mmCIF file with all atom_site columns, all heavy atoms in Angstrom:
data_model
loop_
_atom_site.group_PDB
_atom_site.id
_atom_site.type_symbol
_atom_site.label_atom_id
_atom_site.label_alt_id
_atom_site.label_comp_id
_atom_site.label_asym_id
_atom_site.label_entity_id
_atom_site.label_seq_id
_atom_site.pdbx_PDB_ins_code
_atom_site.Cartn_x
_atom_site.Cartn_y
_atom_site.Cartn_z
_atom_site.occupancy
_atom_site.B_iso_or_equiv
_atom_site.pdbx_formal_charge
_atom_site.auth_seq_id
_atom_site.auth_comp_id
_atom_site.auth_asym_id
_atom_site.auth_atom_id
_atom_site.pdbx_PDB_model_num
ATOM 1   N N   . THR A 1 134 ? 222.992 -56.532 99.205  1.00 0.00 ? 366 THR A N   1
ATOM 2   C CA  . THR A 1 134 ? 223.863 -57.534 98.605  1.00 0.00 ? 366 THR A CA  1
ATOM 3   C C   . THR A 1 134 ? 223.024 -58.537 97.808  1.00 0.00 ? 366 THR A C   1
ATOM 4   O O   . THR A 1 134 ? 223.527 -59.214 96.933  1.00 0.00 ? 366 THR A O   1
ATOM 5   C CB  . THR A 1 134 ? 224.660 -58.284 99.693  1.00 0.00 ? 366 THR A CB  1
ATOM 6   O OG1 . THR A 1 134 ? 223.738 -58.721 100.686 1.00 0.00 ? 366 THR A OG1 1
ATOM 7   C CG2 . THR A 1 134 ? 225.699 -57.379 100.330 1.00 0.00 ? 366 THR A CG2 1
ATOM 8   N N   . ASN A 1 135 ? 221.745 -58.602 98.141  1.00 0.00 ? 367 ASN A N   1
ATOM 9   C CA  . ASN A 1 135 ? 220.852 -59.499 97.420  1.00 0.00 ? 367 ASN A CA  1
ATOM 10  C C   . ASN A 1 135 ? 219.504 -58.797 97.209  1.00 0.00 ? 367 ASN A C   1
ATOM 11  O O   . ASN A 1 135 ? 218.694 -58.717 98.128  1.00 0.00 ? 367 ASN A O   1
ATOM 12  C CB  . ASN A 1 135 ? 220.671 -60.793 98.231  1.00 0.00 ? 367 ASN A CB  1
ATOM 13  C CG  . ASN A 1 135 ? 219.747 -61.770 97.536  1.00 0.00 ? 367 ASN A CG  1
ATOM 14  O OD1 . ASN A 1 135 ? 219.048 -61.426 96.577  1.00 0.00 ? 367 ASN A OD1 1
ATOM 15  N ND2 . ASN A 1 135 ? 219.725 -62.997 98.028  1.00 0.00 ? 367 ASN A ND2 1
ATOM 16  N N   . PRO A 1 136 ? 219.300 -58.265 95.990  1.00 0.00 ? 368 PRO A N   1
ATOM 17  C CA  . PRO A 1 136 ? 218.089 -57.460 95.766  1.00 0.00 ? 368 PRO A CA  1
ATOM 18  C C   . PRO A 1 136 ? 216.787 -58.244 95.951  1.00 0.00 ? 368 PRO A C   1
ATOM 19  O O   . PRO A 1 136 ? 215.779 -57.679 96.362  1.00 0.00 ? 368 PRO A O   1
ATOM 20  C CB  . PRO A 1 136 ? 218.239 -56.964 94.324  1.00 0.00 ? 368 PRO A CB  1
ATOM 21  C CG  . PRO A 1 136 ? 219.290 -57.807 93.713  1.00 0.00 ? 368 PRO A CG  1
ATOM 22  C CD  . PRO A 1 136 ? 220.169 -58.302 94.811  1.00 0.00 ? 368 PRO A CD  1
ATOM 23  N N   . ILE A 1 137 ? 216.820 -59.537 95.627  1.00 0.00 ? 369 ILE A N   1
ATOM 24  C CA  . ILE A 1 137 ? 215.598 -60.341 95.773  1.00 0.00 ? 369 ILE A CA  1
ATOM 25  C C   . ILE A 1 137 ? 215.236 -60.452 97.261  1.00 0.00 ? 369 ILE A C   1
ATOM 26  O O   . ILE A 1 137 ? 214.079 -60.332 97.650  1.00 0.00 ? 369 ILE A O   1
ATOM 27  C CB  . ILE A 1 137 ? 215.790 -61.760 95.179  1.00 0.00 ? 369 ILE A CB  1
ATOM 28  C CG1 . ILE A 1 137 ? 216.289 -61.678 93.728  1.00 0.00 ? 369 ILE A CG1 1
ATOM 29  C CG2 . ILE A 1 137 ? 214.505 -62.580 95.262  1.00 0.00 ? 369 ILE A CG2 1
ATOM 30  C CD1 . ILE A 1 137 ? 215.341 -61.045 92.745  1.00 0.00 ? 369 ILE A CD1 1
ATOM 31  N N   . LYS A 1 138 ? 216.280 -60.647 98.088  1.00 0.00 ? 370 LYS A N   1
ATOM 32  C CA  . LYS A 1 138 ? 216.054 -60.711 99.527  1.00 0.00 ? 370 LYS A CA  1
ATOM 33  C C   . LYS A 1 138 ? 215.524 -59.362 100.033 1.00 0.00 ? 370 LYS A C   1
ATOM 34  O O   . LYS A 1 138 ? 214.612 -59.307 100.851 1.00 0.00 ? 370 LYS A O   1
ATOM 35  C CB  . LYS A 1 138 ? 217.358 -61.077 100.247 1.00 0.00 ? 370 LYS A CB  1
ATOM 36  C CG  . LYS A 1 138 ? 217.190 -61.285 101.728 1.00 0.00 ? 370 LYS A CG  1
ATOM 37  C CD  . LYS A 1 138 ? 218.479 -61.843 102.358 1.00 0.00 ? 370 LYS A CD  1
ATOM 38  C CE  . LYS A 1 138 ? 218.270 -62.210 103.815 1.00 0.00 ? 370 LYS A CE  1
ATOM 39  N NZ  . LYS A 1 138 ? 217.908 -61.064 104.662 1.00 0.00 ? 370 LYS A NZ  1
ATOM 40  N N   . ALA A 1 139 ? 216.100 -58.275 99.491  1.00 0.00 ? 371 ALA A N   1
ATOM 41  C CA  . ALA A 1 139 ? 215.653 -56.937 99.903  1.00 0.00 ? 371 ALA A CA  1
ATOM 42  C C   . ALA A 1 139 ? 214.161 -56.785 99.629  1.00 0.00 ? 371 ALA A C   1
ATOM 43  O O   . ALA A 1 139 ? 213.413 -56.247 100.448 1.00 0.00 ? 371 ALA A O   1
ATOM 44  C CB  . ALA A 1 139 ? 216.447 -55.874 99.160  1.00 0.00 ? 371 ALA A CB  1
ATOM 45  N N   . MET A 1 140 ? 213.728 -57.286 98.464  1.00 0.00 ? 372 MET A N   1
ATOM 46  C CA  . MET A 1 140 ? 212.306 -57.179 98.121  1.00 0.00 ? 372 MET A CA  1
ATOM 47  C C   . MET A 1 140 ? 211.459 -58.063 99.022  1.00 0.00 ? 372 MET A C   1
ATOM 48  O O   . MET A 1 140 ? 210.406 -57.651 99.500  1.00 0.00 ? 372 MET A O   1
ATOM 49  C CB  . MET A 1 140 ? 212.083 -57.561 96.658  1.00 0.00 ? 372 MET A CB  1
ATOM 50  C CG  . MET A 1 140 ? 212.639 -56.532 95.721  1.00 0.00 ? 372 MET A CG  1
ATOM 51  S SD  . MET A 1 140 ? 211.948 -56.737 94.093  1.00 0.00 ? 372 MET A SD  1
ATOM 52  C CE  . MET A 1 140 ? 213.022 -55.668 93.176  1.00 0.00 ? 372 MET A CE  1
ATOM 53  N N   . ALA A 1 141 ? 211.948 -59.294 99.255  1.00 0.00 ? 373 ALA A N   1
ATOM 54  C CA  . ALA A 1 141 ? 211.186 -60.221 100.097 1.00 0.00 ? 373 ALA A CA  1
ATOM 55  C C   . ALA A 1 141 ? 211.047 -59.669 101.520 1.00 0.00 ? 373 ALA A C   1
ATOM 56  O O   . ALA A 1 141 ? 210.009 -59.824 102.152 1.00 0.00 ? 373 ALA A O   1
ATOM 57  C CB  . ALA A 1 141 ? 211.868 -61.580 100.127 1.00 0.00 ? 373 ALA A CB  1
ATOM 58  N N   . ASP A 1 142 ? 212.099 -58.995 101.990 1.00 0.00 ? 374 ASP A N   1
ATOM 59  C CA  . ASP A 1 142 ? 212.062 -58.445 103.343 1.00 0.00 ? 374 ASP A CA  1
ATOM 60  C C   . ASP A 1 142 ? 211.425 -57.062 103.405 1.00 0.00 ? 374 ASP A C   1
ATOM 61  O O   . ASP A 1 142 ? 211.287 -56.489 104.480 1.00 0.00 ? 374 ASP A O   1
ATOM 62  C CB  . ASP A 1 142 ? 213.488 -58.348 103.918 1.00 0.00 ? 374 ASP A CB  1
ATOM 63  C CG  . ASP A 1 142 ? 214.113 -59.714 104.123 1.00 0.00 ? 374 ASP A CG  1
ATOM 64  O OD1 . ASP A 1 142 ? 213.362 -60.708 104.125 1.00 0.00 ? 374 ASP A OD1 1
ATOM 65  O OD2 . ASP A 1 142 ? 215.354 -59.789 104.274 1.00 0.00 ? 374 ASP A OD2 1
ATOM 66  N N   . GLY A 1 143 ? 211.087 -56.514 102.235 1.00 0.00 ? 375 GLY A N   1
ATOM 67  C CA  . GLY A 1 143 ? 210.514 -55.171 102.208 1.00 0.00 ? 375 GLY A CA  1
ATOM 68  C C   . GLY A 1 143 ? 211.484 -54.111 102.690 1.00 0.00 ? 375 GLY A C   1
ATOM 69  O O   . GLY A 1 143 ? 211.088 -53.123 103.304 1.00 0.00 ? 375 GLY A O   1
ATOM 70  N N   . GLU A 1 144 ? 212.778 -54.285 102.400 1.00 0.00 ? 376 GLU A N   1
ATOM 71  C CA  . GLU A 1 144 ? 213.792 -53.289 102.785 1.00 0.00 ? 376 GLU A CA  1
ATOM 72  C C   . GLU A 1 144 ? 213.750 -52.137 101.780 1.00 0.00 ? 376 GLU A C   1
ATOM 73  O O   . GLU A 1 144 ? 214.420 -52.172 100.740 1.00 0.00 ? 376 GLU A O   1
ATOM 74  C CB  . GLU A 1 144 ? 215.186 -53.926 102.804 1.00 0.00 ? 376 GLU A CB  1
ATOM 75  C CG  . GLU A 1 144 ? 215.432 -54.868 103.958 1.00 0.00 ? 376 GLU A CG  1
ATOM 76  C CD  . GLU A 1 144 ? 215.623 -54.110 105.277 1.00 0.00 ? 376 GLU A CD  1
ATOM 77  O OE1 . GLU A 1 144 ? 215.783 -52.882 105.247 1.00 0.00 ? 376 GLU A OE1 1
ATOM 78  O OE2 . GLU A 1 144 ? 215.589 -54.775 106.329 1.00 0.00 ? 376 GLU A OE2 1
ATOM 79  N N   . MET A 1 145 ? 212.978 -51.091 102.110 1.00 0.00 ? 377 MET A N   1
ATOM 80  C CA  . MET A 1 145 ? 212.687 -50.082 101.097 1.00 0.00 ? 377 MET A CA  1
ATOM 81  C C   . MET A 1 145 ? 213.910 -49.313 100.583 1.00 0.00 ? 377 MET A C   1
ATOM 82  O O   . MET A 1 145 ? 214.035 -49.069 99.392  1.00 0.00 ? 377 MET A O   1
ATOM 83  C CB  . MET A 1 145 ? 211.648 -49.079 101.623 1.00 0.00 ? 377 MET A CB  1
ATOM 84  C CG  . MET A 1 145 ? 210.325 -49.702 101.990 1.00 0.00 ? 377 MET A CG  1
ATOM 85  S SD  . MET A 1 145 ? 209.689 -50.868 100.775 1.00 0.00 ? 377 MET A SD  1
ATOM 86  C CE  . MET A 1 145 ? 209.542 -49.817 99.358  1.00 0.00 ? 377 MET A CE  1
ATOM 87  N N   . LEU A 1 146 ? 214.807 -48.942 101.503 1.00 0.00 ? 378 LEU A N   1
ATOM 88  C CA  . LEU A 1 146 ? 215.985 -48.194 101.050 1.00 0.00 ? 378 LEU A CA  1
ATOM 89  C C   . LEU A 1 146 ? 216.788 -49.009 100.043 1.00 0.00 ? 378 LEU A C   1
ATOM 90  O O   . LEU A 1 146 ? 217.267 -48.490 99.038  1.00 0.00 ? 378 LEU A O   1
ATOM 91  C CB  . LEU A 1 146 ? 216.877 -47.840 102.237 1.00 0.00 ? 378 LEU A CB  1
ATOM 92  C CG  . LEU A 1 146 ? 216.440 -46.632 103.046 1.00 0.00 ? 378 LEU A CG  1
ATOM 93  C CD1 . LEU A 1 146 ? 217.405 -46.401 104.197 1.00 0.00 ? 378 LEU A CD1 1
ATOM 94  C CD2 . LEU A 1 146 ? 216.365 -45.398 102.163 1.00 0.00 ? 378 LEU A CD2 1
ATOM 95  N N   . GLN A 1 147 ? 216.929 -50.290 100.342 1.00 0.00 ? 379 GLN A N   1
ATOM 96  C CA  . GLN A 1 147 ? 217.683 -51.163 99.443  1.00 0.00 ? 379 GLN A CA  1
ATOM 97  C C   . GLN A 1 147 ? 216.973 -51.327 98.105  1.00 0.00 ? 379 GLN A C   1
ATOM 98  O O   . GLN A 1 147 ? 217.600 -51.383 97.052  1.00 0.00 ? 379 GLN A O   1
ATOM 99  C CB  . GLN A 1 147 ? 217.888 -52.523 100.104 1.00 0.00 ? 379 GLN A CB  1
ATOM 100 C CG  . GLN A 1 147 ? 218.650 -52.418 101.422 1.00 0.00 ? 379 GLN A CG  1
ATOM 101 C CD  . GLN A 1 147 ? 219.033 -53.768 101.968 1.00 0.00 ? 379 GLN A CD  1
ATOM 102 O OE1 . GLN A 1 147 ? 218.496 -54.793 101.560 1.00 0.00 ? 379 GLN A OE1 1
ATOM 103 N NE2 . GLN A 1 147 ? 219.963 -53.782 102.912 1.00 0.00 ? 379 GLN A NE2 1
ATOM 104 N N   . ILE A 1 148 ? 215.648 -51.411 98.162  1.00 0.00 ? 380 ILE A N   1
ATOM 105 C CA  . ILE A 1 148 ? 214.882 -51.550 96.917  1.00 0.00 ? 380 ILE A CA  1
ATOM 106 C C   . ILE A 1 148 ? 215.052 -50.290 96.064  1.00 0.00 ? 380 ILE A C   1
ATOM 107 O O   . ILE A 1 148 ? 215.225 -50.349 94.844  1.00 0.00 ? 380 ILE A O   1
ATOM 108 C CB  . ILE A 1 148 ? 213.393 -51.814 97.215  1.00 0.00 ? 380 ILE A CB  1
ATOM 109 C CG1 . ILE A 1 148 ? 213.232 -53.157 97.936  1.00 0.00 ? 380 ILE A CG1 1
ATOM 110 C CG2 . ILE A 1 148 ? 212.575 -51.817 95.922  1.00 0.00 ? 380 ILE A CG2 1
ATOM 111 C CD1 . ILE A 1 148 ? 211.856 -53.402 98.512  1.00 0.00 ? 380 ILE A CD1 1
ATOM 112 N N   . ILE A 1 149 ? 215.040 -49.118 96.735  1.00 0.00 ? 381 ILE A N   1
ATOM 113 C CA  . ILE A 1 149 ? 215.219 -47.848 96.025  1.00 0.00 ? 381 ILE A CA  1
ATOM 114 C C   . ILE A 1 149 ? 216.594 -47.822 95.338  1.00 0.00 ? 381 ILE A C   1
ATOM 115 O O   . ILE A 1 149 ? 216.700 -47.505 94.147  1.00 0.00 ? 381 ILE A O   1
ATOM 116 C CB  . ILE A 1 149 ? 215.054 -46.653 96.994  1.00 0.00 ? 381 ILE A CB  1
ATOM 117 C CG1 . ILE A 1 149 ? 213.570 -46.492 97.379  1.00 0.00 ? 381 ILE A CG1 1
ATOM 118 C CG2 . ILE A 1 149 ? 215.579 -45.361 96.363  1.00 0.00 ? 381 ILE A CG2 1
ATOM 119 C CD1 . ILE A 1 149 ? 213.302 -45.508 98.508  1.00 0.00 ? 381 ILE A CD1 1
ATOM 120 N N   . THR A 1 150 ? 217.648 -48.219 96.077  1.00 0.00 ? 382 THR A N   1
ATOM 121 C CA  . THR A 1 150 ? 218.993 -48.228 95.483  1.00 0.00 ? 382 THR A CA  1
ATOM 122 C C   . THR A 1 150 ? 219.045 -49.173 94.287  1.00 0.00 ? 382 THR A C   1
ATOM 123 O O   . THR A 1 150 ? 219.540 -48.822 93.210  1.00 0.00 ? 382 THR A O   1
ATOM 124 C CB  . THR A 1 150 ? 220.043 -48.703 96.515  1.00 0.00 ? 382 THR A CB  1
ATOM 125 O OG1 . THR A 1 150 ? 219.838 -47.993 97.717  1.00 0.00 ? 382 THR A OG1 1
ATOM 126 C CG2 . THR A 1 150 ? 221.456 -48.478 96.013  1.00 0.00 ? 382 THR A CG2 1
ATOM 127 N N   . PHE A 1 151 ? 218.514 -50.383 94.483  1.00 0.00 ? 383 PHE A N   1
ATOM 128 C CA  . PHE A 1 151 ? 218.538 -51.369 93.393  1.00 0.00 ? 383 PHE A CA  1
ATOM 129 C C   . PHE A 1 151 ? 217.791 -50.835 92.172  1.00 0.00 ? 383 PHE A C   1
ATOM 130 O O   . PHE A 1 151 ? 218.245 -50.995 91.036  1.00 0.00 ? 383 PHE A O   1
ATOM 131 C CB  . PHE A 1 151 ? 217.937 -52.698 93.869  1.00 0.00 ? 383 PHE A CB  1
ATOM 132 C CG  . PHE A 1 151 ? 217.820 -53.712 92.769  1.00 0.00 ? 383 PHE A CG  1
ATOM 133 C CD1 . PHE A 1 151 ? 218.954 -54.189 92.130  1.00 0.00 ? 383 PHE A CD1 1
ATOM 134 C CD2 . PHE A 1 151 ? 216.574 -54.187 92.365  1.00 0.00 ? 383 PHE A CD2 1
ATOM 135 C CE1 . PHE A 1 151 ? 218.848 -55.130 91.105  1.00 0.00 ? 383 PHE A CE1 1
ATOM 136 C CE2 . PHE A 1 151 ? 216.464 -55.118 91.344  1.00 0.00 ? 383 PHE A CE2 1
ATOM 137 C CZ  . PHE A 1 151 ? 217.608 -55.589 90.716  1.00 0.00 ? 383 PHE A CZ  1
ATOM 138 N N   . SER A 1 152 ? 216.659 -50.175 92.409  1.00 0.00 ? 384 SER A N   1
ATOM 139 C CA  . SER A 1 152 ? 215.857 -49.667 91.294  1.00 0.00 ? 384 SER A CA  1
ATOM 140 C C   . SER A 1 152 ? 216.631 -48.622 90.499  1.00 0.00 ? 384 SER A C   1
ATOM 141 O O   . SER A 1 152 ? 216.584 -48.613 89.265  1.00 0.00 ? 384 SER A O   1
ATOM 142 C CB  . SER A 1 152 ? 214.557 -49.050 91.811  1.00 0.00 ? 384 SER A CB  1
ATOM 143 O OG  . SER A 1 152 ? 213.850 -49.971 92.584  1.00 0.00 ? 384 SER A OG  1
ATOM 144 N N   . ILE A 1 153 ? 217.333 -47.736 91.217  1.00 0.00 ? 385 ILE A N   1
ATOM 145 C CA  . ILE A 1 153 ? 218.120 -46.706 90.524  1.00 0.00 ? 385 ILE A CA  1
ATOM 146 C C   . ILE A 1 153 ? 219.232 -47.357 89.700  1.00 0.00 ? 385 ILE A C   1
ATOM 147 O O   . ILE A 1 153 ? 219.454 -47.012 88.537  1.00 0.00 ? 385 ILE A O   1
ATOM 148 C CB  . ILE A 1 153 ? 218.716 -45.688 91.535  1.00 0.00 ? 385 ILE A CB  1
ATOM 149 C CG1 . ILE A 1 153 ? 217.579 -44.871 92.173  1.00 0.00 ? 385 ILE A CG1 1
ATOM 150 C CG2 . ILE A 1 153 ? 219.721 -44.760 90.853  1.00 0.00 ? 385 ILE A CG2 1
ATOM 151 C CD1 . ILE A 1 153 ? 218.007 -43.966 93.312  1.00 0.00 ? 385 ILE A CD1 1
ATOM 152 N N   . ILE A 1 154 ? 219.879 -48.372 90.310  1.00 0.00 ? 386 ILE A N   1
ATOM 153 C CA  . ILE A 1 154 ? 220.966 -49.066 89.591  1.00 0.00 ? 386 ILE A CA  1
ATOM 154 C C   . ILE A 1 154 ? 220.414 -49.809 88.382  1.00 0.00 ? 386 ILE A C   1
ATOM 155 O O   . ILE A 1 154 ? 220.969 -49.742 87.274  1.00 0.00 ? 386 ILE A O   1
ATOM 156 C CB  . ILE A 1 154 ? 221.724 -50.021 90.541  1.00 0.00 ? 386 ILE A CB  1
ATOM 157 C CG1 . ILE A 1 154 ? 222.471 -49.202 91.610  1.00 0.00 ? 386 ILE A CG1 1
ATOM 158 C CG2 . ILE A 1 154 ? 222.707 -50.913 89.768  1.00 0.00 ? 386 ILE A CG2 1
ATOM 159 C CD1 . ILE A 1 154 ? 223.096 -50.020 92.722  1.00 0.00 ? 386 ILE A CD1 1
ATOM 160 N N   . LEU A 1 155 ? 219.297 -50.488 88.562  1.00 0.00 ? 387 LEU A N   1
ATOM 161 C CA  . LEU A 1 155 ? 218.699 -51.229 87.447  1.00 0.00 ? 387 LEU A CA  1
ATOM 162 C C   . LEU A 1 155 ? 218.279 -50.279 86.323  1.00 0.00 ? 387 LEU A C   1
ATOM 163 O O   . LEU A 1 155 ? 218.531 -50.544 85.137  1.00 0.00 ? 387 LEU A O   1
ATOM 164 C CB  . LEU A 1 155 ? 217.488 -52.037 87.937  1.00 0.00 ? 387 LEU A CB  1
ATOM 165 C CG  . LEU A 1 155 ? 216.814 -52.912 86.883  1.00 0.00 ? 387 LEU A CG  1
ATOM 166 C CD1 . LEU A 1 155 ? 217.733 -54.033 86.426  1.00 0.00 ? 387 LEU A CD1 1
ATOM 167 C CD2 . LEU A 1 155 ? 215.502 -53.502 87.388  1.00 0.00 ? 387 LEU A CD2 1
ATOM 168 N N   . GLY A 1 156 ? 217.648 -49.158 86.692  1.00 0.00 ? 388 GLY A N   1
ATOM 169 C CA  . GLY A 1 156 ? 217.231 -48.163 85.695  1.00 0.00 ? 388 GLY A CA  1
ATOM 170 C C   . GLY A 1 156 ? 218.425 -47.667 84.904  1.00 0.00 ? 388 GLY A C   1
ATOM 171 O O   . GLY A 1 156 ? 218.372 -47.540 83.674  1.00 0.00 ? 388 GLY A O   1
ATOM 172 N N   . SER A 1 157 ? 219.543 -47.410 85.616  1.00 0.00 ? 389 SER A N   1
ATOM 173 C CA  . SER A 1 157 ? 220.749 -46.935 84.924  1.00 0.00 ? 389 SER A CA  1
ATOM 174 C C   . SER A 1 157 ? 221.287 -48.017 84.000  1.00 0.00 ? 389 SER A C   1
ATOM 175 O O   . SER A 1 157 ? 221.698 -47.739 82.861  1.00 0.00 ? 389 SER A O   1
ATOM 176 C CB  . SER A 1 157 ? 221.842 -46.564 85.936  1.00 0.00 ? 389 SER A CB  1
ATOM 177 O OG  . SER A 1 157 ? 221.322 -45.740 86.930  1.00 0.00 ? 389 SER A OG  1
#
Side-chain angles (χ1 to χ4, degrees):
T366 50
N367 180 347
I369 307 296
K370 185 172 187 298
M372 290 197 192
D374 294 344
E376 287 286 348
M377 300 314 300
L378 280 179
Q379 300 189 343
I380 296 169
I381 288 170
T382 312
F383 175 63
S384 304
I385 293 172
I386 293 172
L387 183 66
S389 311

